[in-house]
Coordinates of all heavy atoms in Angstrom, one line a residue:
Chain F
H18 N -7.6 -26.2 57.8 CA -8.0 -25.0 57.0 C -6.9 -24.7 56.0 O -5.7 -24.8 56.3 CB -8.2 -23.8 57.9 CG -8.9 -22.6 57.3 ND1 -8.2 -21.8 56.5 CD2 -10.1 -22.2 57.3 CE1 -9.0 -20.8 56.1 NE2 -10.2 -21.1 56.5
Q274 N -11.2 -20.3 48.2 CA -12.0 -19.8 49.3 C -11.1 -19.2 50.4 O -11.4 -18.2 51.0 CB -12.9 -20.9 49.8 CG -14.2 -20.8 49.2 CD -15.3 -21.5 50.0 OE1 -15.1 -22.7 50.4 NE2 -16.4 -20.8 50.2
A278 N -11.0 -15.5 51.8 CA -11.2 -15.2 53.2 C -10.1 -14.4 53.7 O -10.3 -13.6 54.7 CB -11.4 -16.5 54.0
E364 N -20.6 -16.7 52.4 CA -19.9 -17.9 51.9 C -20.6 -19.1 52.1 O -21.1 -19.4 53.2 CB -18.5 -17.9 52.7 CG -17.6 -16.8 52.4 CD -17.2 -16.7 51.0 OE1 -17.0 -17.8 50.4 OE2 -17.0 -15.6 50.5
Y365 N -20.8 -19.9 51.1 CA -21.5 -21.2 51.2 C -20.7 -22.2 52.1 O -21.3 -22.8 53.0 CB -21.7 -21.8 49.8 CG -22.4 -23.1 49.8 CD1 -23.7 -23.2 50.1 CD2 -21.8 -24.3 49.4 CE1 -24.4 -24.4 50.1 CE2 -22.4 -25.5 49.4 CZ -23.8 -25.5 49.7 OH -24.4 -26.7 49.7
R366 N -19.5 -22.3 51.8 CA -18.7 -23.3 52.6 C -17.8 -22.5 53.5 O -16.9 -21.9 53.1 CB -17.9 -24.1 51.6 CG -18.7 -25.3 51.1 CD -17.8 -26.5 51.1 NE -17.4 -26.9 49.8 CZ -18.1 -27.6 49.0 NH1 -19.3 -28.1 49.3 NH2 -17.7 -27.9 47.8
H367 N -18.2 -22.5 54.7 CA -17.5 -21.7 55.6 C -16.5 -22.6 56.3 O -16.8 -23.5 57.0 CB -18.4 -21.1 56.7 CG -17.8 -19.9 57.3 ND1 -17.5 -18.8 56.7 CD2 -17.6 -19.7 58.6 CE1 -17.0 -17.9 57.5 NE2 -17.0 -18.4 58.7
L368 N -15.2 -22.3 56.1 CA -14.2 -23.2 56.7 C -13.7 -22.5 58.0 O -13.3 -21.4 58.0 CB -13.0 -23.3 55.7 CG -13.4 -23.9 54.4 CD1 -12.3 -23.5 53.4 CD2 -13.6 -25.4 54.4
E369 N -13.9 -23.3 59.0 CA -13.5 -22.7 60.3 C -12.1 -23.2 60.7 O -11.7 -24.3 60.4 CB -14.5 -23.2 61.4 CG -15.9 -22.6 61.3 CD -15.9 -21.2 61.7 OE1 -14.9 -20.7 62.2 OE2 -16.9 -20.5 61.4
Chain G
V397 N -26.4 -18.5 55.4 CA -25.8 -19.8 55.1 C -26.9 -20.9 55.1 O -26.9 -21.8 54.3 CB -24.6 -20.1 56.0 CG1 -24.1 -21.4 55.6 CG2 -23.6 -19.0 55.8

Side-chain angles (χ1 to χ4, degrees):
Chain F
H18 191 280
Q274 269 201 309
E364 295 296 324
Y365 179 67
R366 277 222 252 273
H367 201 61
L368 304 160
E369 291 287 351
Chain G
V397 180

